[in-house]
Amino acid sequence: MDNENFKTARSGLLALLLFCLPLWVIGQEVTGTVTSSADNQPLPGVNIVEKGTTNGTSTDFDGNFSIVVSGFPATLVVSYIGFATREVVVNSASRITVQLDEGMALDEVVMVGSRAVARSSTDTPLPVDMVGVKELQNTGQVTFDKSLQYKIPSFNTVQTPVNDATSLLDPYEIRNMGPSRTLILINGKRKNLSALLYTQTSPGRGETGADIAAIPTDAIKRVEILRDGASAQYGSDAIAGVMNIILKDNPSGGYASLRTGISSEGDGEAFAFAINNGTPIFEDKGFMNYTIELSSIGQYNRPGTVNAEGEVADFTGATSEDIAFVNEFLSRKPDAGNINGSPETTAAKFLINGGVELGETADLYFNAAYVYKKVNSFANYRTPYWRTIESFPYLGNFFPGNNPNTTGPFTDAYGNTFQGNGYDGYVPTFDGDLNDYNATVGVKANKNGWYYDTSMTVGGNRQTYRVRDSHNRNEVFSPAVFNDANGNGVTDPGELIPSSRLYQENSQISFDPGGTQFNHVVGNIDISRTLSDQVSIGFGAEFRSENFTIIEGELSSYDGGGADSFAGNRPENSGKFNRYNIGGYFDLAWDVNEEFLINGTIRTENYSDFGNAFVWKVSSRYKLLDDKFTLRGSLSTGFRAPTLHQIFTQKAQYSFVPGQGIQVGGLVSNVSPQARLLGIPQLDAEESTNFTVGVGGKISNDFNFTLDYYNIAVKDRIVLGTEIGPSGDPANPLDVLLATNNLSDVSFFSNALDTKTSGIDLVANYRNIGLGSGILDFNLSGNYTITNERDGAVKNIPLVENAGQSVVNETQEALFFTSRPQTKWILGANYDLGKLAFTVNNTYFGKTTFNQQGMDANLFTEFIPKVVTDLSVNWDATDKVSVLFNVNNIFNILPEWEFKAENAAGQAIIDDTTTNALGLTPIEEQSNLITFNQRYSQMTYDGYHFSQLGTLFNLAITYRF
C-alpha cells in the first residue's frame, strides 16, 4: 500500500472510531430476552425495531437479542407473528426481559402479501384470514381441512357421495373457485399437488389440489389465508388466493395428546395419538420441532331406503316376476346393500421443522413431512337384477325361473353369493393407499441490508388402489360345480357359453388397477431490501420441474370392460410425463407517507409445454382517522397452467347414468390420437383479472373488522366436460370411437368457459368483555357470493356442436357455480374463566342449487339453509394436563333439499299427483333419477350441501411436557 493510500485508510479508520466511540462511552447497547407469557419459553426470530428508525434486530434461538440504539430514551417495538406487539421504553443501557402475550388480532400478525416487505394485516392492502392452532383444535374436527371449514367462511370442502379414489381426499376451494385455483404453501414454499384428479360428477370435478388433509394439525402454528389473486407474487394456481401454513418452531416444550370420538349413530369411531415437541440442537445454536400423529377413523354408513318401483323401471322389463324379484331382494336389503357416507381411514403422519444458526447474519432452515394414509370405501352394491342374462351370461343359470331347484344360500368359487333360487349380487370394495411427502431446505441471510432466502423444495404424492369383491364381467368362466345349503352339487352349464377367453377357476375377484403419482422439485431465490424509510424492493426467481405418472394396472383389471366398479389403467393410457418452468418477479413497495402505501409486482414465467405467461399486480392502502380505518384495494392479472393430470389422463370409468344405472364412459386425453380424431385442441393456461377493494377498522384495542369486495374474471377456464353420447350417425368419428371401445359416452378437458365471480367477505372481532369472573370474546365472519356464473357462450368443438350437444350442461354449471353455499357465516363466542373455557360456534350454510343430470329441465333442486352449532369445553385440570370435549353439530342438523320450478311447466310436474303403471308420481320419478332411486336421498347423486353425518362427540386429553 502506498503512503497516500495508507493515510486515506488511517483517516477513515479514525473517523469510524470517533463515530462509534460515543456509543461505547455512553453505553447505548440494549440487550435482553423475549419470552412467551404463557409458558415463559424463549421466542426465536422476534423482531425488535427502534421506533422511528430502520434500526433493528431479531432474537436468536434462545430468545436473546442485542441492539445499539441512537439515544435514550428509546422505544423498542417488539413484534412476533401470533403474539401481541409491545412497545418498550428504555431509559438507559440495560438488560431487559420482554414477555409477549399470544393472540391473533388482525393488526398483530404479518402476512406475506408483498414479496418486498411483510406488514401487519391492517397495514397490508390485501385481505387476510389468520387462524391459530388452538382455534383449529377447538373445532373438534379430525382433519385440518375440516377444521378450516368451520373457521373460514370463504373456504369450503365437501365429502363426496360416491367415493372411489375421491375417498382419499375431499375437494376444497376458496371463493367457490375450485381446488386448483388456491395455492398451498408450507412456511412460504409451494406444496406439491395431489396425484388425484377428480373425475366424478361432484364439486371439484376435473381439478386437483394439494392434499391439505394430510398435514397434521398438531404441527401447525398458524394458517395465513390471502384472499386475493397472487399469481404475480407466487405463480400458477394463485387465482383465488394463497394458503400459507406456518409450522411450529418452539425449540423446547411440547405435549402428547390422546383423542377419541364417535357419532350419535354409533359409528365413525375415531382414535388418534399425537405428540409435538421441540428440542435444541447443535449446542443450542439450532432447534428441531417434530410431530407424530397416528389416527384411525371408522366407517360412517348413511344409505337411503331404495325405491323398488324405480329399480323395476330402470333394470327390468317390469313383468310380475321382475317386480316380485326386486321386492324380495329389497325386503331383505332395504338399502340395496349400499354402504356410503364416509370411508374408513387409517393414517400415520410425521413432520419436522427446524433451523440452525450459521453465524451472526445467516440461518439454515429445514422441514420435512411424510404421510401414509389407507382408505377403505365401497362402490354401489351390484344387485342381482342390474345385469341382463345377455350381458352377464354365466349367471343366467341362477336368475329367477331358470333353475328352480337351487335353494342356497351358497358362495361360488369366485366369491359371488347366491340366495334362494337366484344370484344375490355383491358390493365391490375400494382400497386406497396414499403416500405424501414434502421437504424444504434453505438459507436466510442478512448482509449489508440485503435479505437473501435461497431454498430447494421436493414433494410428491402417490396413490395406488385395490378393488376387491368384484369381477371382470367380460371374463367368461368354465363349468363349475357349487354346493347348495343341503350339500347337493349344482352345475352351471358353462360349456354352453361361447367364449374367446376362458379364465376358468383362476378368474379373480381382487384386482390391482394401478394408480397415479405426482412429484415436483422447486428451487427458489428471493432477495429484498429496504432502500429507505419509504421504499423497499424484492425480486427473485423460481425453477420448477413436475412429473406425473399413470401407473399401469394388471391385465384383468382393464381387459374388456375391466374390474367392475373401477377399471384399471391400460398400458396405452399409462406412462410418465413431465415438464419444467422458470419464472422471475420484481416487487416494489412505496410508502408515499405514513398513511399512503403503493405496492406493485410483475412476474414472467416460461413453461416447457405451453409457453410464456406475464402477469402483474398493483395494490394500495390509505390510513385515516388516526389509523383507526384503512382503505385498501388491488388490481391484478393471473394465470393457472393446466396440470399434467388434466393434459395426460385417459381412462375408462364407471359412473351413474340416470335411468340407465352404472355405465362405462371414456375420458380422452387432449394429446392422444383419439383427441386428434375428434378434433379436441390441446389445453392452454387460464387467465384471470382480479379486483379487490375493502376497508379495515380498529375502533379500539378490543374491536376490529375488515370488509372486502372481490371480483374475479377467468378467461379460458379449464373444465372436464360432461359426457358426450353418440350422434346417431354410425360413420361419425365420435360414434366409431364409442362403438370400438364399448363406451356409452366420452368426456375430455377443454378451455371451454369464461367465468365471473364476485362477492363480499366480512371479519369482525370484539374481545375482552368482562362478564362475571371471566372474559368473553365474540367473532363474526362471513362470505356472500354476489355473482358466480358463466360469461358468454360455451366454447364447444365443432364435433360436439354439430351433434347438438355441449361439454357444459346444466349439471356441470351447477357443479361449477351453485354447488357451494351462496353465503356462509360463522358466529362464535369464547368465554374464558382461566382454567375453564367454553367456545360456541354457529356456522350458517346458505342455500345451494343444482340442476342434476337426468332431471327434467323445468326443475331444479335447492338445499335449504341450515345452521350447525358446535360446542367445545377446555379444562386445564393441572399445569400439565388439559381436557378438551367437543360436541359437533349438537342439534343433529342434516342437509335437506326440495324441488323448485323453473317455470309453469316445472310447477305442473311438482303438483301432478297422477301415477304411472308402477305407482310413481312425476315428481317421485324425478326424485328417483337424481338420487339413484333414493340411494343418496340425503345429498342427491351429484350434489351435497355440507359435510354432515350427524352429531359427533370428541374427547382429547393432553399432557404438556
Side-chain angles (χ1 to χ4, degrees):
M1 181 181 294
D2 59 36
N3 191 53
E4 189 65 26
N5 288 337
F6 176 79
K7 290 180 179 179
T8 302
R10 182 180 62 185
S11 299
L13 181 60
L14 288 173
L16 179 63
L17 291 173
L18 289 172
F19 175 78
C20 296
L21 183 60
L23 301 182
W24 299 333
V25 171
I26 62 177
Q28 291 179 304
E29 181 182 27
V30 178
T31 61
T33 304
V34 182
T35 63
S36 167
S37 62
D39 53 14
N40 206 36
Q41 293 294 325
L43 297 175
V46 176
N47 294 315
I48 298 99
V49 178
E50 183 181 359
K51 190 172 183 179
T53 74
T54 59
N55 178 33
T57 186
S58 60
T59 59
D60 62 19
F61 289 108
D62 294 319
N64 298 319
F65 72 92
S66 174
I67 184 172
V68 176
V69 297
S70 58
F72 292 114
T75 300
L76 300 182
V77 180
V78 185
S79 62
Y80 191 48
I81 296 173
F83 288 78
T85 299
R86 285 193 60 185
E87 293 189 1
V88 181
V89 178
V90 183
N91 293 309
S92 63
S94 58
R95 180 173 183 83
I96 62 175
T97 298
V98 182
Q99 287 197 323
L100 298 184
D101 297 325
E102 190 169 1
M104 300 301 296
L106 287 175
D107 61 333
E108 295 168 355
V109 224
V110 176
M111 173 66 194
V112 282
S114 167
R115 301 307 295 264
V117 290
R119 299 175 181 274
S120 68
S121 62
T122 52
D123 283 341
T124 181
L126 307 170
V128 180
D129 285 319
M130 306 298 305
V131 183
V133 63
K134 290 183 179 179
E135 296 176 85
L136 296 173
Q137 291 171 337
N138 283 343
T139 65
Q141 300 293 327
V142 294
T143 57
F144 170 54
D145 58 332
K146 294 299 184 289
S147 298
L148 287 178
Q149 168 91 339
Y150 291 91
K151 294 305 298 182
I152 306 297
S154 59
F155 178 91
N156 284 292
T157 181
V158 64
Q159 291 171 336
T160 53
V162 182
N163 294 310
D164 286 343
T166 313
S167 62
L168 286 161
L169 63 150
D170 296 325
Y172 60 86
E173 55 193 332
I174 290 177
R175 290 180 166 174
N176 299 324
M177 293 296 294
S180 60
R181 293 171 193 85
T182 297
L183 176 63
I184 307 299
L185 306 176
I186 294 182
N187 280 0
K189 308 301 178 183
R190 180 183 289 261
K191 177 166 172 53
N192 57 281
L193 293 175
S194 162
L196 175 65
L197 177 71
Y198 298 107
T199 58
Q200 294 286 355
T201 307
S202 66
R205 173 180 165 89
E207 302 192 31
T208 189
D211 186 3
I212 61 175
I215 300 170
T217 303
D218 292 276
I220 298 173
K221 181 176 183 178
R222 71 184 183 279
V223 182
E224 308 168 341
I225 297 181
L226 171 62
R227 292 178 276 107
D228 193 34
S231 294
Q233 295 104 310
Y234 299 103
S236 178
D237 306 344
I239 287 179
V242 177
M243 181 187 299
N244 189 20
I245 299 166
I246 305 299
L247 303 176
K248 287 181 178 176
D249 55 6
N250 50 293
S252 62
Y255 62 86
S257 182
L258 181 65
R259 303 161 193 158
T260 185
I262 195 169
S263 78
S264 56
E265 299 293 325
D267 57 4
E269 304 91 343
F271 175 84
F273 174 77
I275 182 171
N276 172 265
N277 197 21
T279 181
I281 56 176
F282 296 108
E283 298 179 345
D284 294 338
K285 291 186 178 294
F287 78 97
M288 185 174 69
N289 187 278
Y290 61 90
T291 303
I292 302 171
E293 180 184 302
L294 308 174
S295 65
S296 175
I297 304 172
Q299 172 81 41
Y300 291 86
N301 189 22
R302 301 292 185 270
T305 300
V306 175
N307 181 266
E309 291 78 13
E311 297 285 277
V312 169
D314 285 351
F315 300 111
T316 76
T319 66
S320 58
E321 273 193 342
D322 292 330
I323 295 172
F325 185 38
V326 171
N327 284 328
E328 190 279 331
F329 175 80
L330 293 178
S331 69
R332 294 181 287 105
K333 297 180 183 291
D335 55 14
N338 258 32
I339 303 174
N340 63 70
S342 181
E344 179 182 359
T345 303
T346 302
K349 306 177 182 181
F350 308 89
L351 188 145
I352 60 171
N353 181 41
V356 179
E357 287 184 358
L358 298 180
E360 294 184 0
T361 61
D363 295 324
L364 171 73
Y365 61 90
F366 58 89
N367 61 74
Y370 171 74
V371 174
Y372 172 75
K373 181 164 41 176
K374 187 172 185 63
V375 172
N376 176 239
S377 64
F378 297 86
N380 290 290
Y381 192 99
R382 270 52 182 167
T383 65
Y385 45 78
W386 274 27
R387 308 300 191 199
T388 64
I389 294 176
E390 289 75 19
S391 64
F392 217 169
Y394 75 96
L395 293 177
N397 192 45
F398 298 98
F399 270 75
N402 289 344
N403 194 343
N405 297 319
T406 58
T407 57
F410 54 86
T411 302
D412 67 16
Y414 317 110
N416 297 311
T417 302
F418 292 76
Q419 174 70 38
N421 66 346
Y423 159 70
D424 210 39
Y426 61 99
V427 55
T429 67
F430 183 89
D431 299 339
D433 288 281
L434 179 148
N435 294 267
D436 189 277
Y437 68 91
N438 61 268
T440 295
V441 61
V443 174
K444 289 183 178 181
N446 178 2
K447 188 174 182 179
N448 298 326
W450 290 93
Y451 291 86
Y452 302 86
D453 183 350
T454 60
S455 65
M456 178 68 72
T457 298
V458 297
N461 183 276
R462 178 184 174 93
Q463 301 183 24
T464 54
Y465 315 122
R466 189 79 186 173
V467 176
R468 296 183 291 112
D469 298 334
S470 185
H471 75 116
N472 187 323
R473 58 186 290 195
N474 292 87
E475 297 177 0
V476 183
F477 303 95
S478 66
V481 178
F482 313 104
N483 291 320
D484 62 18
N486 300 318
N488 299 316
V490 180
T491 302
D492 174 12
E495 68 277 3
L496 302 178
I497 303 173
S499 67
S500 57
R501 297 185 303 277
L502 198 60
Y503 286 79
Q504 300 184 5
E505 70 276 4
N506 294 322
S507 181
Q508 59 197 71
I509 61 173
S510 180
F511 302 87
D512 174 10
T516 53
Q517 178 175 310
F518 177 86
N519 61 72
H520 72 189
V521 178
V522 185
N524 290 97
I525 179 167
D526 301 294
I527 302 171
S528 62
R529 180 185 174 102
T530 300
L531 300 179
S532 69
D533 291 344
Q534 293 179 292
V535 178
S536 59
I537 62 171
F539 56 91
E542 177 178 281
F543 173 84
R544 185 165 78 253
S545 173
E546 297 178 328
N547 296 275
F548 177 61
T549 303
I550 300 175
I551 303 168
E552 180 182 335
E554 62 179 330
L555 174 64
S556 57
S557 72
Y558 61 79
D559 191 26
D564 192 34
S565 80
F566 192 89
N569 296 323
R570 302 180 67 87
E572 61 269 29
N573 296 337
S574 304
K576 296 182 178 181
F577 314 97
N578 62 76
R579 72 174 175 205
Y580 65 87
N581 73 289
I582 186 167
Y585 70 89
F586 178 79
D587 190 295
L588 173 66
W590 178 28
D591 287 282
V592 180
N593 51 47
E594 291 186 0
E595 291 79 26
F596 188 33
L597 163 72
I598 299 176
N599 199 146
T601 309
I602 57 174
R603 185 184 193 91
T604 182
E605 293 215 17
N606 178 268
Y607 282 76
S608 61
D609 53 353
F610 73 84
N612 297 316
F614 175 81
V615 290
W616 53 266
K617 183 170 187 174
V618 177
S619 55
S620 181
R621 65 106 174 95
Y622 185 78
K623 296 181 179 181
L624 62 161
L625 298 179
D626 296 326
D627 295 348
K628 290 186 181 296
F629 292 92
T630 300
L631 300 178
R632 60 191 185 187
S634 69
L635 179 65
S636 65
T637 61
F639 76 102
R640 185 182 79 81
T643 66
L644 294 175
H645 317 54
Q646 294 173 323
I647 297 172
F648 293 103
T649 296
Q650 180 159 298
K651 62 188 294 188
Q653 61 183 13
Y654 286 79
S655 59
F656 167 63
V657 178
Q660 302 178 46
I662 302 297
Q663 301 294 328
V664 181
L667 171 56
V668 176
S669 162
N670 294 74
V671 294
S672 65
Q674 293 85 356
R676 291 193 294 270
L677 175 68
L678 299 177
I680 301 173
Q682 295 190 19
L683 294 176
D684 201 355
E686 299 177 354
E687 297 178 355
S688 70
T689 301
N690 291 56
F691 170 68
T692 299
V693 62
V695 58
K698 183 182 178 183
I699 310 304
S700 68
N701 288 332
D702 298 325
F703 178 62
N704 53 62
F705 74 91
T706 60
L707 178 67
D708 296 280
Y709 167 82
Y710 59 90
N711 188 297
I712 308 169
V714 180
K715 181 181 178 182
D716 295 331
R717 182 163 168 170
I718 300 169
V719 302
L720 172 56
T722 190
E723 296 80 7
I724 304 299
S727 68
D729 177 7
N732 188 302
L734 173 61
D735 296 60
V736 172
L737 176 66
L738 295 176
T740 303
N741 293 276
N742 295 316
L743 299 174
S744 63
D745 51 65
V746 66
S747 57
F748 54 88
F749 285 95
S750 62
N751 295 95
L753 293 179
D754 296 341
T755 67
K756 52 185 179 182
T757 304
S758 64
I760 294 174
D761 288 326
L762 170 69
V763 179
N765 295 279
Y766 190 17
R767 304 186 306 271
N768 299 322
I769 304 170
L771 182 64
S773 58
I775 299 295
L776 182 65
D777 298 336
F778 285 104
N779 56 80
L780 173 68
S781 55
N783 169 262
Y784 177 75
T785 302
I786 300 172
T787 303
N788 194 24
E789 61 188 17
R790 172 165 50 90
D791 186 11
V794 178
K795 304 170 187 178
N796 287 308
I797 63 172
L799 185 72
V800 172
E801 192 77 36
N802 295 336
Q805 302 182 63
S806 176
V807 295
V808 177
N809 61 11
E810 292 83 359
T811 298
Q812 294 284 82
E813 294 215 19
L815 290 173
F816 298 149
F817 305 126
T818 64
S819 64
R820 308 309 323 124
Q822 182 180 20
T823 185
K824 179 181 164 190
W825 294 86
I826 302 172
L827 175 61
N830 181 75
Y831 187 50
D832 193 337
L833 290 163
K835 290 185 174 296
L836 193 63
F838 299 87
T839 300
V840 177
N841 274 310
N842 297 280
T843 305
Y844 173 84
F845 293 90
K847 72 176 182 180
T848 66
T849 59
F850 282 90
N851 295 85
Q852 284 91 344
Q853 183 177 354
M855 186 171 58
D856 191 285
N858 298 300
L859 298 170
F860 67 93
T861 57
E862 182 177 289
F863 279 83
I864 300 169
K866 296 283 186 178
V867 176
V868 176
T869 302
D870 300 327
L871 169 69
S872 72
V873 181
N874 201 328
W875 175 43
D876 290 328
T878 69
D879 291 340
K880 296 286 189 180
V881 179
S882 63
V883 179
L884 176 63
F885 177 67
N886 293 87
V887 184
N888 293 339
N889 194 3
I890 293 175
F891 303 111
N892 196 30
I893 301 299
L894 300 175
E896 292 184 55
W897 58 270
E898 58 188 358
F899 283 104
K900 294 287 186 177
E902 294 275 9
N903 46 40
Q907 191 60 48
I909 296 174
I910 296 174
D911 296 337
D912 192 348
T913 59
T914 61
T915 59
N916 62 14
L918 294 173
L920 293 172
T921 65
I923 202 65
E924 288 173 336
E925 291 183 80
Q926 296 296 314
S927 181
N928 281 342
L929 284 171
I930 65 174
T931 63
F932 200 173
N933 297 328
Q934 308 306 317
R935 283 172 174 80
Y936 304 96
S937 56
Q938 180 176 305
M939 71 284 287
T940 82
Y941 196 85
D942 293 330
Y944 208 170
H945 191 191
F946 55 95
S947 302
Q948 282 298 327
L949 298 170
T951 302
L952 304 178
F953 303 93
N954 296 285
L955 178 68
I957 301 174
T958 300
Y959 178 79
R960 290 182 289 274
F961 305 134

